[in-house]
Structures are given as structure tokens and as C-alpha cells.
Amino acid sequence: MAKVKGTIVVDIEKCKGCEICISACPTSVISMSVEVNGKGYPYAYLNDPDGCTGCSNCAIVCPDGVITVYRKKIG
Amino acid sequence: MEEYKLMKGNEAIAEAAIRAGTDGYFGYPITPQSEVMEYLMAEKPHERTGMVVLQAESEVASINMLYGGAAAGKKVFTSSSSPGISLMQEGISYIAGAELPCLIVNVARGGPGLGTIQPGQADYFQATKGGGHGDYNLIVLAPASVQEMADFVSLSYDLAFKYRNPVMILSDGAIGQMMEKVKFKEQEPRMKTHPDWATVGKPADRGPNIITSLDLDPARQERFNNKLQEKYKKIREEEILFEEIDCNDADYVFVAYGTSARICQKSLQLAREEGIKVGLFRPITLWPFPYEQIIRLSKKTKGMLSVELSAGQMVEDVRLAVEGKIKVEHYGRMGGMIPTPEEIVLALKKQIIGG
Amino acid sequence: MAEKVVNIEMINPENLVYQKTKVLNDNVMHYCPGCGHGTAHRIIAEVIEEMDIQSEIIGIAPVGCSVLMYNYFNVDMQEAAHGRAPAVATAVKRLWPDKFVFTYQGDGDLAAIGTAETIHACNRGENITMFFINNGIYGMTGGQMAPTTLEGMRSSTSPYGRDISMMGNPLKMTELVAQLPGTCYVTRQAVHTPSNVRKTKKAVRKALEYQQKNMGTSFIEIVSNCNSGWKMAPVESNNWMVENMFPFFPLGDIKVPDEE
């Protein structure tokens, strides 16, 4: 069976660190950064390169539309 | 062929509006202007020209419908009477702030409050000094006949679109209700193109058009206000309208608009029969007010009587113009009472000549 | 910060599955972190893009937090006076019957100062789509009590909680307009989870399709959070919304057209 792998690109400077994407992620692979962006917010990032399935849940609940999602079949 | 019709002033406004190619009318019934919408509904302008006529749930709604229609690039008007115009002031301020062209007709009655349904001219301040919040002006036209009620509709639209500014026709219950002969212009087609700033749906080749009166940046908001003031200055320089009757040899002048000006025409005759040389100065644009013309008249006359159906509102502008150089007094009746021509001559003698 | 971007080899157009719609521009929204307005804006914009009606739609913004929504949408928009968006939209639609017209209002705007305009536009069956963002508070003005503030809920003008005996009852506008013959589609949705976002987006699409078919007023309430006004963290405010708002403002369709 083909597996899918995904990744996200966060527009760091527009992320407000609300963490809603974290609660929406079914594989729990999004975390908040320790460092902050130019506005002083921690921002979302993918903490496990192999755990993202590219389901887009994080992106569709992101109030600021800062997440772009890529997905690829592998194997 | 000359084709005259006998009509009420309110009906004449409605017919003239259809012929001026109006796209939409939004109004709410109130005495003494209800014939405007009644005439429009009976005429089925949606069949004649495709014009939309809608009875709104309130004057608040109708003025905001005007905002929407004007912002969408259409030729729109509403009509009401004094208390309804008071209710519209929020929307009028927004329309001025968003620089939207439209026509607001006020067939004024006596106030304050519910006042009376009889004619009044106590809306002068409300019409010419802003009315709502902020530094803005309406262009205000004061018709004195049913013919002018009709003629001022297309004039109002021309001014409104020329300056992107709301225009008010300030009439009163007497001119709204009286029947006179009136000749209409030919039917103009409705606009086929719309101003480039209008919100009509954003095509791919331009950015979004935004209609708003908001700017949270104080420096930009002040720049915008300065731009408005520049516009008002230009209107003051270019659009003043007035009428002078027998002012050339006059020692005294009645200053009056609308219904009061009509009565003063008779007073003028009566005074002249008694050997008193009186003229009549009738501002047609109440804003911009003809200050310069009144200054000029004040230099060759001895006194002015501002005659109004109010406790004295326009008289303040006459006094501003004259700057105390000659005597300026007010005579008026209120609450729907109309002065007789004789009463006005007596006032002239008592307050100006003998005073 | 580049180390936060992983799987760089995947980042190319052929693998792209989700990106922000071009019907929104790149301006940073002024909304607080986690605010539902941004999500509501985005799904409306996505539907506009998917229906390919960007050049045919005119939006009416309210007064309140979303007063500046026209700074984010790539569509023609008007900014209405407080509560008057339904009247403004009425005229736009009547004068441009072939265009799409939508209003977007909060609870103070739609359910307090603009109640008359809301009810009469719905009752006339104006062929417009109305979005009603209900977070039970005046957000922009600083957290005052709204017509939809729940019983016992604290706000800056009900600091000890809304006391029904003194302050009156919370108002269910959506149930109210559903009774009016002019409305064709009335639904209450939310945008706090992926599945809710998907449902709301379907509702937005339906509403605009009904408008296209001249079926009358379509009305979508989106129950949302106000973490600043509620004085909670964003995720916490969503949880509070589920526990407290949804029992009083239950999600789901309230009125659907006969054809369904």
C-alpha cells in the first residue's frame, strides 16, 4: 500500500502562535517554537519530518491562513 | 410642443426623478412628502425605465440603502420630512464621509420633535450646517415652485456626481403639497457606465474598490478631511445659485428662500405700492450660501429682513455676511403658521425701517 | 529560522495540497491570535474562488472587529454604518440583481443595533447571503455585553455575570430569522475544528448557490470565540465555546430549502 508523506510551510512572520493547529493535528507533529517571530509570537513548526500526512487539518483551522501543505505518495 | 402638467410638488419630484434616469428610490412614508413614493409606486418605473422603488422599514434603512446604491455606482434618491431626515443623519454623515453621490429630498415640516405636519423651514441648520457628526457639507438646493422641484432633480444629480457629494433638496410642506403647472424634461436613459470607484464586482484587471468612511490613521484621516474641505471650497467658488428681484434700486431687502420667498414677492409689491423700495434676495443654494452676493447688496442698502418659517436660522448666515454694517433682523412664524404678505411688510417697517 | 522548514525536497507545486486562497490578499489580519474571524474570512474567500465569482461579488463589512475586513478580501467591498449592512446590501442587490452580495456582521452589529435591518431584509427575502459571527461579546469595543451574551457570562458591562432579571435574555437571532418566510436557508455552524470548518464551508457554498438561484435570504451564523474578550487562551476559549455556547446556540441547519 502506498504511504503518503506530508509537510507544512508556516509563514513564520504571520503566525500568531494561537496553537489551534496543534490541537487539530491528528498525528501531533506540530509544536510551538521557543524563539519568537518579529511580532513576538512563538510560531508553529513541524516537529517530526516523518509524522506529517499532509492532511491539511492544521491549515484549514489556521485563522491567519499561514500554513501551506504539501503531500506526496511514497513507497 | 409645450406640454405642461398640473401636479403637486412631491409628484413633480417623483416624475422628474424617473425622467432623470434614476436607478433607485428608497424611502419611508412621512407626511407631508408621502406622495413621492406613492407616485413612484403608481407609475411602475420598473416598467418605464427599470428603476427600482422600495419602501424601507425606516428612514435609517432607506438612507443606508442610498449608501449601498450610490456606492454601487447607481443614481439613487430618497425623500422624507424633518423628523425622518433627523433619523437619517447618521447615514448622511457616512455618505458624505464615503463621498457618495446621491439625492436626499426634505419636504420640511415644523418641529421640534414630532412637531406638526404643516410646512416649516426650521431644518435650515440641519441641512446647511452638517446635521450629523463630522466636518462635512451637503449641497443644499431650495426650490420655490413646483417647476423648480422638478428642475432641481437633474441639477442635483449633476452636482452630486460632479463632486461625489450628497445633495439635498430642502423644500417644505407647502411646495410639496401645492399644485402648479410644470414642464418636464425628456426622458434621460439610465446610466450605462458607472464611476470607476464604484463597487460593482472586481474585474481581474484592477484591485478591489473599497467604499468606506473609516481611517484609523489620524494623519491620513486629517489628509482626507483636508481633501474634503478643498472640495467644499471649490463648490463654494463655483456652484452658488441665487435670484434677485427688484434689488437694483432697493433700500431694503427681504432675504428668503422657498415658500417664504414666494410670500415675500407679494410683500415686495405691497411695500413698493406704499413707496418703500424693497427687493428680494432668494438664495437657491443654501449651501454654499451666497455670502458674497449679500455683502455686495449690503453695500447699497439700508437693512435686510430674513423671512423664514422658523425662529430665525438663515438670518445667522445673513448676519455673518453683513458683519454688522447694516441692520439685519429676522421675521418668521413657526409650527406650521404662515405669515401673510401684510404681516411681513409690517415687520419690515417695525424692525428695520422704524427700528 | 530555516531549520524549522523540513522535508524541503517535497516543497514544489506538484505536491501542493493546500494554500491560502488568492481571494484573500497577503495583509496580516488585525485579529487576535486564534480568532475565528480569520477562518470565517478564509472559507468565504475559498468558496468565492471555487465558484469563480470574484468579479461578480460585492461584500458589505460591519462595524466591530471585522470593520476592516475589506483590507483582506480581494473583492469590491463597502463598509456600512453599525448594524446597517442588510439595508446597504438590499440596495446593492436590487440595483445589481445579477451580482452576488453578502453581508458579514457580528452579534452587536446584527443582533442589537441592526436588529430591524436584519429582520426586515430577511423578511423581504432579499436575495443576499448574510454571515453572522456570534461570539457573545463586543470585541472591538472592549468586551462589553452583547445581545447574545449568555446568562451568567462576564463581560466588561456585566462584570458579575449577565443577570437576566436586570439585563434581559440572550437573543437567538438565527432561530428568529428562520421563522421568516423570506429566508431560504438558515444554519448555525462553527470554525474551531477541521470538521466544523469543512461543514461551514459547505454551508457557505450552498448559501451562495441559493443566492444564484434567487431563492431568498440565506443566513449563516458562525458561533465563534473571543479569547481576548473572554480573557482566555485561544484553545481554551474554543473549549469554553463548545462547553458553554453550543448548548445555548446548538449547531446545525435550522431551515433548509424544500428541494433538499
Side-chain angles (χ1 to χ4, degrees):
Chain A
M1 199 181 90
K3 280 181 70 181
V4 290
K5 184 178 172 184
T7 197
I8 61 172
V9 175
V10 177
D11 189 337
I12 289 170
E13 286 307 316
K14 288 183 182 164
C15 178
K16 295 173 184 165
C18 72
E19 304 186 9
I20 287 176
C21 54
I22 294 181
S23 54
C25 178
T27 54
S28 303
V29 292
I30 301 176
S31 298
M32 282 295 136
S33 64
V34 176
E35 63 270 42
V36 295
N37 64 17
K39 286 194 161 61
Y41 293 120
Y43 51 87
Y45 73 98
L46 185 58
N47 63 29
D48 175 3
D50 299 319
C52 176
T53 63
C55 72
S56 302
N57 275 4
C58 55
I60 71 170
V61 292
C62 174
D64 292 279
V66 306
I67 303 176
T68 305
V69 185
Y70 297 88
R71 186 179 217 185
K72 190 182 177 182
K73 279 184 184 154
I74 52 166
Chain B
M1 199 183 79
E2 298 272 303
E3 191 198 334
Y4 283 96
K5 293 189 173 184
L6 185 67
M7 283 182 135
K8 285 188 175 187
N10 288 336
E11 295 168 341
I13 285 229
E15 176 63 29
I18 299 172
R19 294 192 188 214
T22 300
D23 293 302
Y25 171 88
F26 306 91
Y28 185 79
I30 182 170
T31 308
Q33 68 75 50
S34 293
E35 291 85 358
V36 178
M37 188 166 30
E38 288 168 3
Y39 183 92
L40 288 172
M41 287 292 191
E43 275 298 304
K44 297 184 180 172
H46 54 280
E47 289 178 8
R48 276 176 62 180
T49 65
M51 174 181 167
V52 169
V53 183
L54 181 64
Q55 180 168 337
E57 63 270 31
S58 67
E59 288 90 349
V60 175
S62 41
I63 195 68
N64 284 284
M65 289 173 183
L66 226 61
Y67 180 101
K74 298 285 189 173
K75 204 181 257 190
V76 290
F77 90 111
T78 187
S79 59
S80 187
S81 181
S82 310
I85 299 289
S86 298
L87 201 47
M88 289 184 185
Q89 289 302 345
E90 176 204 42
I92 295 174
S93 173
Y94 276 69
I95 285 170
E99 295 199 89
L100 298 175
C102 62
L103 168 60
I104 302 146
V105 177
N106 181 0
V107 183
R109 58 193 247 186
L114 207 45
T116 169
I117 59 171
Q118 309 296 331
Q121 292 183 315
D123 286 6
Y124 180 89
F125 285 153
Q126 175 172 245
T128 64
K129 306 297 178 190
H133 58 285
D135 288 312
Y136 73 90
N137 283 104
L138 310 178
I139 298 171
V140 184
L141 299 168
S145 65
V146 172
Q147 184 65 55
E148 282 189 344
M149 289 283 261
D151 292 344
F152 286 2
V153 172
S154 49
L155 173 62
S156 297
Y157 283 136
D158 290 346
L159 291 167
F161 279 89
K162 181 175 176 186
Y163 293 103
R164 273 190 74 172
N165 206 68
V167 176
M168 175 175 281
I169 292 181
L170 180 59
S171 180
D172 62 60
I175 295 166
Q177 293 293 327
M178 73 165 62
M179 294 184 84
E180 284 186 320
K181 66 175 184 179
V182 53
K183 191 180 175 206
F184 290 101
K185 295 178 178 170
E186 293 298 312
Q187 177 68 52
E188 279 180 51
R190 289 170 53 225
M191 293 187 294
K192 290 203 171 57
T193 57
H194 303 280
D196 57 9
W197 48 259
T199 54
V200 298
K202 186 198 94 62
D205 60 357
R206 69 156 165 82
N209 279 346
I210 306 297
I211 299 296
T212 182
S213 58
L214 175 72
D215 199 329
L216 293 173
D217 179 325
R220 272 202 315 251
Q221 181 64 281
E222 188 183 51
R223 274 200 298 280
F224 171 74
N225 265 297
N226 285 332
K227 193 190 103 185
L228 277 187
Q229 292 304 316
E230 281 300 310
K231 174 170 86 173
Y232 300 147
K233 182 166 173 272
K234 190 158 188 263
I235 297 170
R236 280 196 297 267
E237 285 164 2
E238 296 184 7
E239 306 299 346
I240 286 172
L241 295 169
F242 61 94
E243 183 187 23
E244 286 182 340
I245 298 173
D246 291 345
C247 286
N248 282 337
D249 66 339
D251 291 324
Y252 304 98
V253 177
F254 294 130
V255 185
Y257 67 94
T259 291
S260 298
R262 292 174 69 105
I263 305 167
C264 283
Q265 284 189 55
K266 182 67 181 173
S267 306
L268 181 154
Q269 283 174 17
L270 294 176
R272 282 192 173 254
E273 281 165 18
E274 293 185 36
I276 308 167
K277 286 183 184 168
V278 185
L280 168 63
F281 184 85
R282 175 168 79 98
I284 293 173
T285 50
L286 299 181
W287 196 96
F289 189 76
Y291 290 107
E292 291 300 324
Q293 290 74 12
I294 289 180
I295 291 169
R296 187 170 43 74
L297 266 184
S298 71
K299 288 177 180 159
K300 55 178 192 175
T301 54
K302 298 174 187 167
M304 293 186 179
L305 186 69
S306 182
V307 181
E308 307 167 54
L309 304 181
S310 74
Q313 299 192 4
M314 183 178 68
V315 66
E316 293 192 3
D317 280 325
V318 181
R319 285 188 173 131
L320 264 179
V322 168
E323 288 183 322
K325 294 193 176 76
I326 59 170
K327 186 157 198 179
V328 175
E329 291 292 333
H330 163 261
Y331 182 74
R333 301 289 300 270
M334 290 170 285
M337 296 301 289
I338 310 280
T340 62
E342 291 80 3
E343 214 176 312
I344 293 169
V345 175
L346 195 62
L348 176 74
K349 288 181 190 168
K350 270 190 177 168
Q351 294 176 241
I352 302 288
I353 301 173
Chain C
M1 292 179 183
E3 72 276 11
K4 298 296 184 198
V5 180
V6 294
N7 302 332
I8 289 170
E9 73 288 353
M10 287 181 61
I11 298 171
N12 59 57
E14 70 192 57
N15 295 330
L16 181 68
V17 287
Y18 188 92
Q19 69 180 139
K20 197 178 78 174
T21 168
K22 297 295 175 207
V23 175
L24 292 180
N25 60 33
D26 289 331
N27 291 340
V28 177
M29 295 191 190
H30 68 283
Y31 302 116
C32 303
C35 174
H37 273 307
T39 314
H41 284 10
R42 186 163 41 75
I43 56 182
I44 293 167
E46 284 175 2
V47 172
I48 291 170
E49 183 177 27
E50 287 163 19
M51 289 176 73
D52 193 20
I53 56 173
Q54 188 178 7
S55 63
E56 298 160 58
I57 194 161
I58 299 151
I60 315 295
V63 170
C65 284
S66 45
V67 63
L68 291 167
M69 67 183 290
Y70 53 75
N71 281 345
Y72 314 124
F73 275 76
N74 265 325
V75 303
D76 279 2
M77 291 203 74
Q78 303 181 14
E79 204 293 300
H82 199 18
R84 317 302 175 213
V88 171
T90 292
V92 177
K93 185 68 182 187
R94 295 250 178 171
L95 292 162
W96 289 104
D98 296 333
K99 310 271 183 184
F100 290 84
V101 179
F102 73 95
T103 57
Y104 186 103
Q105 301 173 265
D107 40 82
D109 194 88
L110 180 141
I113 196 166
T115 317
E117 287 78 12
T118 302
I119 287 176
H120 283 280
C122 289
N123 194 47
R124 286 191 301 265
E126 295 298 341
N127 200 26
I128 59 176
T129 300
M130 297 176 65
F131 298 107
F132 168 35
I133 311 299
N134 174 14
N135 57 13
I137 204 159
Y138 286 81
M140 186 67 124
T141 325
Q144 293 82 6
M145 185 179 71
T148 52
T149 299
L150 301 172
E151 181 175 9
M153 189 171 163
R154 289 169 195 266
S155 72
S156 64
T157 53
S158 58
Y160 308 107
R162 184 178 194 147
D163 179 343
I164 301 290
S165 69
M166 280 171 63
M167 302 163 180
N169 295 282
L171 180 58
K172 295 186 178 187
M173 276 308 277
T174 304
E175 279 81 354
L176 208 153
V177 301
Q179 298 170 41
L180 305 174
T183 51
C184 66
Y185 176 51
V186 180
T187 188
R188 182 184 285 123
Q189 300 292 338
V191 293
H192 62 303
T193 70
S195 70
N196 286 100
V197 170
R198 291 189 178 97
K199 280 184 201 163
T200 305
K201 192 170 160 184
K202 276 186 191 145
V204 173
R205 172 111 193 185
K206 275 191 213 171
L208 288 169
E209 285 171 352
Y210 295 146
Q211 184 177 157
Q212 198 163 25
K213 293 178 191 163
N214 295 317
M215 290 169 67
T217 312
S218 43
F219 188 101
I220 301 179
E221 174 179 340
I222 298 173
V223 182
S224 192
N225 59 356
C226 178
N227 48 72
S228 294
W230 297 355
K231 305 189 194 312
M232 295 175 196
V235 173
E236 184 193 357
S237 74
N238 278 344
N239 294 337
W240 191 91
M241 173 178 77
V242 172
E243 285 165 23
N244 296 277
M245 296 282 279
F246 289 179
F248 191 79
F249 297 113
L251 304 189
D253 290 342
I254 297 169
K255 183 180 192 177
V256 293
D258 291 338
E259 63 165 28
E260 297 215 341

